[in-house]
Amino acid sequence: MSGVLVHLPSDGRTETTPARGPVSLRLGPGDVARFGRGSASVPVDLRLADPAVSRLAGEIRVTEDHWQLSNLSTSQTYLVENPEGAGEYFRVPPRRAGAPVPFEFARVVLPARGSAVTFQVFAPDHAYLGTNGTAVSAGTGTLAGFSLDETSTYFLVLLALCEPRLRDESPVAVATTPQIVERLRHRPGCERLTARAVSSHIDYLADEKLRITTPAADATAAGAGRGVRRTGKREAVAALALRFGLVREEHLGLLPPRRAALQRTGVTQG
């Protein structure tokens, strides 16, 4: 397992980096990150500046295949939401130690004086059984090379990205970000999907799920433009997903019918 990624959006509540934007921490198995308002005598890894947040509010601990949340507050209940779970969440009461979090994407919500204080935790190495449902036998389990959740939004983005190749419309082309947004717009749960969110899902796929290093990314480090880097990453994601059969023709049924999209663009089917 490669661990988890903790992401604190830039909302003006980060005392450590108010002018530099969001804060991200990468934690490996066994690592611990503490969060809270902090002070000189109470150091924390994630500083949440709201006065309603305890100096030492909680702790994240990464285990083998999930992560745990400890609520160190004596009075505040925290929520852990699944942003892709249609309202799915659970409560972590005060003084609860080591509550296991089962979500691949999670949003931790702390009560605050104004709007709630939140940060996100990504756990990309959740394991999924294959389609045959074969359980892991006794002994040390075999980790999946690529663990993808076929019910997630990132999988739909990957599928839409690869759709032109899966349908043999082009041996080389992949869908653009606006095309992916339009393609998924009428699928339940994706009505509010934005171009920025699509780009974030592709970055997540490349960096966390498929662990891709593209030649174009190296070129960016040498001074090439951002557009070149993103195009290279997009094509590399599609190429790897198709090469290993991570998306296949039978998955196309997860996408909305094409007729509406074709009618909107004035294209007729033969």
Side-chain angles (χ1 to χ4, degrees):
M1 180 178 178
S2 60
V4 306
L5 178 66
V6 183
H7 179 72
L8 180 63
S10 177
D11 60 359
R13 299 185 181 200
T14 55
E15 292 177 349
T16 54
T17 57
R20 290 191 301 161
V23 177
S24 295
L25 296 176
R26 187 176 295 277
L27 307 175
D31 288 346
V32 175
R34 303 199 303 176
F35 59 89
R37 193 150 47 95
S39 69
S41 59
V42 184
V44 293
D45 301 287
L46 284 178
R47 288 197 172 187
L48 310 172
D50 192 281
V53 175
S54 302
R55 292 288 183 187
L56 181 57
E59 181 180 280
I60 292 170
R61 180 180 297 275
V62 182
T63 65
E64 290 299 322
D65 59 357
H66 65 282
W67 60 280
Q68 300 173 341
L69 177 66
S70 293
N71 181 350
L72 303 182
S73 167
T74 58
S75 59
Q76 306 267 37
T77 293
Y78 303 157
L79 300 182
V80 181
E81 300 175 339
N82 178 4
E84 297 189 332
E88 184 179 19
Y89 72 95
F90 67 89
R91 299 185 183 88
V92 182
R95 312 305 298 172
R96 172 70 160 90
V101 178
F103 309 139
E104 182 172 333
F105 296 127
R107 181 189 297 117
V108 179
V109 183
L110 283 68
R113 296 289 292 180
S115 58
V117 173
T118 69
F119 61 86
Q120 301 158 349
V121 183
F122 302 85
D125 283 342
H126 278 203
Y128 299 93
L129 293 175
T131 54
N132 58 1
T134 303
V136 177
S137 58
T140 302
T142 301
L143 298 177
F146 308 108
S147 60
L148 299 179
D149 179 2
E150 297 183 5
T151 67
S152 66
T153 302
Y154 69 71
F155 188 82
L156 294 173
V157 169
L158 177 63
L159 185 56
L161 178 72
C162 298
E163 185 180 19
R165 296 191 188 181
L166 288 171
R167 295 189 187 279
D168 292 329
E169 293 177 348
S170 169
V172 294
V174 295
T176 66
T177 293
Q179 288 171 335
I180 294 173
V181 172
E182 181 65 21
R183 188 71 182 90
L184 298 179
R185 178 166 299 169
H186 294 278
R187 193 185 191 284
C190 296
E191 298 88 347
R192 298 183 178 180
L193 189 69
T194 64
R196 183 176 180 179
V198 167
S199 296
S200 296
H201 282 298
I202 291 175
D203 287 343
Y204 180 69
L205 284 161
D207 298 340
E208 306 295 337
K209 306 301 290 187
L210 307 182
R211 300 177 296 282
I212 286 175
T213 300
T214 68
D218 296 336
T220 297
R226 179 176 177 80
V228 174
R229 185 195 68 80
R230 187 170 295 282
T231 299
K233 177 181 292 186
R234 183 189 306 274
E235 293 176 342
V237 166
L240 190 146
L242 292 166
R243 186 181 305 127
F244 284 96
L246 305 179
V247 290
R248 302 178 295 277
E249 288 185 29
E250 59 261 37
H251 290 129
L252 291 174
L254 297 174
L255 297 176
R258 300 180 74 202
R259 182 175 300 279
L262 292 172
Q263 288 175 342
R264 284 193 301 276
T265 56
V267 177
T268 56
Q269 289 180 293

